[in-house]
Amino acid sequence: MTRASHTRGGAVALSKEGLPAWLEPVVRAADTVKPLELSRFLPPENGSGRQSAVLILFGEGAGGPELLLMERAGSLRSHAGQPSFPGGALDPEDGDPATDGPLRAALREAEEETGLDPSGVQLFGVLPRLYIPVSGFVVTPVLGWWREPSPVGVVDPNETARVFTVPVADLTDPANRVTTVHPSGHRGPAFLVESALVWGFTAGVIDRLLHFSGWERPWDRDKQVPLDWRA
């Protein structure tokens, strides 16, 4: 069975073999979703923006299917204190941004930020590239199955405040869903889970994955949480 494992500059590939049945809707969504169905913010046509990748890692915990998230340190210049997927900018050693570079970067960043053992992760899909205007990142979301779970936690407190998993059941629970309202007027989906407000890019991707996987449950979009102007 082919598995996606990582060594810097080494081989890394996608495989859908042997995935749990409950991930099948996610696989189908990844294969069919179009960029504008995920976000209205798409990479600039002139090719500008800093290439990056995030790892959307599905595991199976005591509460059923779950996602790995982290909370960025409050001292960071970009997205301080914000829950997010593990990830970051591509290094030259990661390889071609148009092919397997994002796969390598997603695994490398997850290892550096959470201590995740990449050899236990099977990468099975890639979502269309998206854009984060506030930071200028062009982001490739990489989907993974945590086939062989490994211990995770904060590696560098200067970058990461905590590492945690969230049951998918909590993300789909209407009681945990809200709409954030930024002082600029921008509104977006968000999740109140694990003593955290998950919002912004990360919440937007989770929201669309739940929707296109058929996991979304009706929720009150009028329940609002205002964001601080520094957000």
Side-chain angles (χ1 to χ4, degrees), residues 9 48 79 103 200 219:
S48 64
H79 309 295
L103 307 185
W219 58 283

Side-chain angles (χ1 to χ4, degrees), residues 200-223:
F201 173 85
T202 302
V205 173
I206 293 174
D207 171 78
R208 294 295 79 197
L209 269 180
L210 296 179
H211 176 77
F212 287 107
S213 297
W215 292 348
E216 184 180 37
R217 296 165 58 190
W219 58 283
D220 183 4
R221 297 171 188 270
D222 291 329
K223 187 165 67 172

